[in-house]
Amino acid sequence: MSCPSAIAAGPATLPVSPAEVEVAARRIAGRVVRTPLVASAALSRASGHPVFLKLETRQPIGAFKLRGAMNAVLALDEAARRRGLVTASTGNHGRALAHAAREAGVPAVVCMSALVPANKVEAVHALGAEVRIVGRSQDDAQAEVERLVSARGLTAIPPFDHPDVIAGQGTIGLEIVEDLPEVSAVLVPLSGGGLAGGVALAVKALRPSARVIGISMARGAAMAASLRAGHPVEVVEEDTLADSLGGGIGLSNRYSFALCRALLDEVVLLTEDEIAAGIRHAAEAEGEVVEGAGAVGIAALIGGKVSLDGPAALILSGRNIDETLHRRIVKETAV
Ligand SMILES: *Cc1c(COP(=O)(O)O)cnc(C)c1O
């Protein structure tokens, strides 16, 4: 018999526990949006099973990463809060950390190379973080992060391979099972695996029969290649519409790889055309602006890459897509 108030401890070998997700949920309650899970009439009709969309697009920075960043910031002790935070992410994690830090009254530095486009620099600056422009590559920016950690004692919070970040993302899984106790499949965008690992941790603890399916682009899917190899591997990064899913998982990955390996039932890879069709469907049939990474669940379903045997929840992970690109994808029948 399962106990509804406390979720069972996971297998002893997992590096993060379901109980940590529950702690995160209490910690970030009221600081992030408890997002709606809305029925999709079009996808339910097409798949023959009830399909629901988890709208992480409604978070203040337009993506779920606020959950993990907020949990990590609030977990810091007083001394670490005073010294502040640092990251080199210019994407959704950088924005999330800047927003969470400002909300919590903690100083944050985001290191970027001189090649980062002005609109990205401005977006992070507008969220109240100090922007440091250093060097001409992401590696230069990361080196500056490490320098600030040792020189000024700042705390670096990585985008996915961190227990508090993973537990924060996992709160999405808790909310899905709360709102849809009979869920039989959860479709999760997959890059570094903080989101998929955390969500799977929560979903499997509360509803062990539910499948959790990770979805990436076929172009440069580092977690998929690592799961196949049985250990973290590097892949060549390529341009993709799902740009938030790009990047490696880190050769010395400590948490997210083990969770994904233990808990994901399946990993599905998508072509660029399939991702474009997902973005288009979200706009036309669901009235939702989503970025490529946020559209992969819809894309997998309408592309016939996932088959359902009961109610499904699709995580729409973010909405931060260039407007011109979005308009072009929605208008055209092919990209
Ligand atoms: C970061 C991100 C993901 C992937 O999350 P991981 O924890 O790296 O797997 C998916 N969608 C969006 C919009 C993101 O910003």
Side-chain angles (χ1 to χ4, degrees):
M1 289 290 103
S2 69
C3 170
S5 62
I7 56 186
T13 52
L14 292 181
V16 185
S17 79
E20 288 173 73
V21 183
E22 287 202 324
V23 170
R26 283 194 293 275
R27 197 185 271 141
I28 67 177
R31 305 270 199 147
V32 306
V33 175
R34 192 198 185 290
T35 55
L37 186 71
V38 300
S40 162
L43 293 172
S44 301
R45 215 179 310 116
S47 68
H49 293 278
V51 174
F52 295 84
L53 309 175
K54 181 67 169 162
L55 300 182
E56 288 301 302
T57 47
R58 304 283 164 89
Q59 295 293 353
I61 61 133
F64 75 91
K65 283 216 173 62
L66 194 54
R67 293 175 185 259
M70 189 66 82
N71 189 44
V73 169
L74 295 177
L76 295 173
D77 64 28
E78 206 34 59
R81 276 168 167 258
R82 269 197 306 274
R83 290 193 303 267
L85 300 170
V86 61
T87 185
S89 166
T90 61
N92 287 331
H93 176 66
R95 294 186 201 196
L97 205 61
H99 181 94
R102 182 167 66 179
E103 292 280 300
V106 174
V109 180
V110 180
C111 304
M112 301 184 187
S113 93
L115 301 182
V116 170
N119 61 331
K120 286 198 166 184
V121 178
E122 190 38 49
V124 168
H125 185 73
L127 289 166
E130 174 191 338
V131 176
R132 273 178 93 89
I133 308 287
V134 264
R136 301 191 64 78
S137 73
Q138 181 64 19
D139 285 348
D140 292 342
Q142 189 54 44
E144 178 67 2
V145 168
E146 277 142 37
R147 199 189 64 76
L148 289 171
V149 167
S150 51
R152 281 172 40 190
L154 303 192
T155 302
I157 297 182
F160 54 84
D161 201 30
H162 187 291
D164 294 329
V165 172
I166 292 169
Q169 323 304 28
T171 59
I172 297 171
L174 293 184
E175 294 173 14
I176 288 174
V177 181
E178 238 169 70
D179 291 354
L180 186 67
E182 68 277 24
V183 64
S184 90
V186 181
L187 277 59
V188 193
L190 175 64
S191 176
L195 175 62
V199 166
L201 201 55
V203 169
K204 298 280 180 182
L206 294 169
R207 176 130 174 114
S209 67
R211 283 185 300 152
V212 179
I213 301 164
I215 308 168
S216 303
M217 64 291 166
R219 284 190 184 174
M223 182 61 83
S226 300
L227 291 171
R228 255 194 322 270
H231 56 89
V233 295
E234 274 172 345
V235 298
V236 177
E237 202 168 339
E238 295 178 72
D239 263 354
T240 169
L241 286 174
D243 57 327
S244 290
L245 301 185
I249 70 162
L251 288 179
S252 47
N253 186 295
R254 291 177 62 195
Y255 305 98
S256 61
F257 173 73
L259 287 170
C260 288
R261 181 159 65 169
L263 300 174
L264 292 187
D265 294 281
E266 227 177 292
V267 173
V268 168
L269 301 180
L270 301 175
T271 66
E272 295 300 302
D273 283 347
E274 287 170 329
I275 296 167
I279 295 172
R280 205 176 302 125
H281 173 96
E284 289 175 345
E286 315 293 345
E288 293 292 328
V289 173
V290 292
E291 57 180 285
V296 295
I298 293 176
L301 207 55
I302 62 181
K305 295 255 174 102
V306 170
S307 55
L308 302 181
D309 54 7
L314 279 48
I315 299 174
L316 272 52
S317 55
R319 54 162 295 135
N320 294 322
I321 184 171
D322 176 76
E323 252 175 72
T324 311
L325 174 63
H326 188 262
R327 216 175 302 124
R328 207 174 75 216
I329 292 169
V330 172
K331 281 210 182 106
E332 288 176 10
T333 43
V335 262

